[in-house]
Amino acid sequence: MDVTLHLAQDPDADALLGRSPLAALVGMLLDQQVPMEWAFKGPATIARRLGADDLDAHEIAGHEPEAFAALLAEKPAVHRYPGSMAKRIQQLCQYLVEHYDGDAEGVWRGAGSGTELLRRLEELPGFGKQKAQIFLALLGKQLGVRPQGWREAAGAYGEAKSFRSVADITGPESLARVRAHKQEMKAAAKAGKAGKQQG
């Protein structure tokens, strides 16, 4: 894996995401309740605070939990909820150590179909169906991981030329389009709620 991603909008953080399968997974895990760039900058910040140039699943899985949470909480914090996210990252790394010998790329290496890959992603701690589908779309669209049926398995996120998620962000212009789409979805959801309450 060695591609240029533009998710953190920070050259060093994006370079790590593009070369490190574990960093990409951790960034995806962090991508909730905070701006996307903040989430995807997280893996580089964690690596730097651990004194490394990449993340290591074995090291993170075995890290003393309170010390790891403190590492994420240092200013600037890696996430709005550093304690709970530290726990989730450790759970993810423990799962990778147990099932893939700590090799994050093993999650998608050798997946025979999009359906199988989606199942593997959904089995990861902290990955619900939507997160798994978005990451599957990212793998297919930007990281060259394209088992048969990957677009179908990724659902709407797999559609070509769509601007729905991080899978579609390749620079500032597409970032703006994905943001606009998310705002439209929020507005539609709000309008739907308001309509139900009036009905």
Side-chain angles (χ1 to χ4, degrees), residues 14-160:
D14 279 328
L16 177 62
L17 295 170
R19 71 171 187 269
S20 167
L22 180 55
L25 277 177
V26 169
M28 191 74 223
L29 183 67
L30 289 168
D31 188 21
Q32 54 191 336
Q33 299 171 303
V34 293
M36 180 202 77
E37 300 94 320
W38 184 4
F40 282 97
K41 238 179 233 176
T45 305
I46 295 167
R48 195 169 54 248
R49 290 177 185 173
L50 286 169
D53 57 6
D54 193 359
L55 299 179
D56 181 303
H58 290 274
E59 183 188 353
I60 292 171
H63 214 282
E64 201 281 311
E66 280 182 25
F68 190 65
L71 189 100
L72 266 72
E74 270 177 45
K75 299 274 186 265
V78 167
H79 194 275
R80 182 179 292 159
Y81 303 107
S84 60
M85 292 318 286
K87 194 173 176 182
R88 284 187 176 189
I89 292 168
Q90 286 198 289
Q91 286 169 342
L92 172 66
C93 289
Q94 284 155 1
Y95 182 90
L96 291 172
V97 166
E98 206 175 304
H99 296 268
Y100 296 98
D101 195 27
D103 176 14
E105 198 170 353
V107 176
W108 50 91
R109 190 188 299 113
S113 66
T115 311
E116 184 188 345
L117 178 49
L118 181 63
R119 180 185 54 74
R120 289 184 189 185
L121 289 166
E122 284 187 78
E123 285 170 356
L124 297 174
F127 277 68
K129 182 167 188 181
Q130 185 184 31
K131 198 176 276 291
Q133 285 188 312
I134 291 171
F135 194 78
L136 174 51
L138 178 67
L139 285 170
K141 289 179 175 183
Q142 297 199 46
L143 299 172
V145 178
R146 301 182 179 116
Q148 193 176 353
W150 71 270
R151 282 192 190 276
E152 293 75 9
Y157 300 107
E159 288 173 14

